[in-house]
Amino acid sequence: MGTKRSEIFLMRELNTFESMTELLRKKGVEFKNLILKQEVIEANYYISKQLNVPLATKIFYLERLRVIEGNPLSVEKIFICYDRVKGMEKEEIGSQSFYGLLDRKYGYKVKKSKEEILIVEANERERELLELGKGEEVLLIKGNTFLGENAHFEYFELASLPSFYHFRSVSII
């Protein structure tokens, strides 16, 4: 008998930045990242504002589904200015750490992220991918990563089962 979807979770430390793929590896669970879309698109109004770039700027777009212990638990969308990651649309990303690949191929290390955490009703695509019923909710994490203090790098959205991410913040006084 497999692990129930609601029993699988990742602990995210709010005061550090860590690759979800690396967290899954450390946890020792069976997982795969299914690439749904990996292409170059043009920034619409919303994405241009999130990345602080002009409308219609070329953007590398990655959409992947995280399947853990056979359960689809998270849909991830990543938007990065294409000029920063030329050729990424041809990379074999698979289940490797995306941030590890960015570091190895381009020398990028994310220094900071700003995130918003919401509970929202799943849209039609999220319901289909995460095997949810109409009216069910997802945990939506959306935000930006930065290479330096204010150097926008990426806009992302993660939609998951509400039980998949647990959060912890440690304050040192």
Side-chain angles (χ1 to χ4, degrees):
M1 185 171 205
T3 307
K4 289 184 191 173
R5 286 167 36 121
S6 61
E7 295 173 356
I8 302 168
F9 71 92
L10 284 180
M11 180 63 69
R12 292 205 48 207
E13 301 288 343
L14 293 175
N15 50 338
T16 61
F17 180 82
E18 194 166 8
S19 157
M20 295 300 103
T21 300
E22 290 306 315
L23 284 174
L24 288 165
R25 283 199 178 102
K26 284 180 187 176
K27 191 163 181 154
V29 295
E30 177 190 318
F31 74 94
K32 57 185 168 182
N33 296 327
L34 302 176
I35 305 302
L36 305 174
K37 291 184 181 177
Q38 183 175 337
E39 59 194 7
V40 178
I41 62 172
E42 288 187 352
N44 61 21
Y45 179 79
Y46 183 74
I47 297 303
S48 71
K49 291 296 177 203
Q50 296 306 312
L51 290 172
N52 199 24
V53 298
L55 196 62
T57 298
K58 284 188 175 184
I59 301 294
F60 169 71
Y61 173 63
L62 176 67
E63 181 181 26
R64 63 183 174 177
L65 177 66
R66 292 188 190 274
V67 179
I68 297 109
E69 300 287 330
N71 298 289
L73 296 179
S74 179
V75 179
E76 181 176 337
K77 297 176 184 177
I78 296 171
F79 303 84
I80 301 173
C81 255
Y82 184 67
D83 284 347
R84 291 181 179 244
V85 292
K86 285 186 178 171
M88 184 60 80
E89 75 280 9
K90 297 175 187 139
E91 285 292 320
E92 188 63 43
I93 295 172
S95 287
Q96 69 179 302
S97 165
F98 183 68
Y99 294 107
L101 175 62
L102 289 172
D103 185 14
R104 287 188 305 279
K105 185 169 171 81
Y106 303 98
Y108 293 135
K109 290 184 186 343
V110 171
K111 302 289 186 195
K112 175 173 104 171
S113 70
K114 289 184 180 179
E115 302 177 5
E116 185 177 3
I117 302 169
L118 309 160
I119 297 287
V120 298
E121 186 174 324
N123 65 34
E124 187 176 334
R125 178 133 171 94
E126 292 161 349
R127 286 194 310 267
E128 175 189 328
L129 292 170
L130 298 174
E131 301 173 357
L132 299 172
K134 190 160 182 67
E136 286 194 70
E137 295 175 326
V138 292
L139 176 74
L140 177 64
I141 305 169
K142 59 183 184 173
N144 293 88
T145 60
F146 301 84
L147 297 176
E149 191 56 36
N150 291 310
H152 278 86
F153 180 64
E154 158 198 37
Y155 171 71
F156 63 88
E157 294 180 356
L158 305 172
S160 71
L161 267 62
S163 60
F164 181 55
Y165 289 110
H166 293 197
F167 299 92
R168 178 172 45 204
S169 176
V170 178
S171 297
I172 299 171
I173 300 174

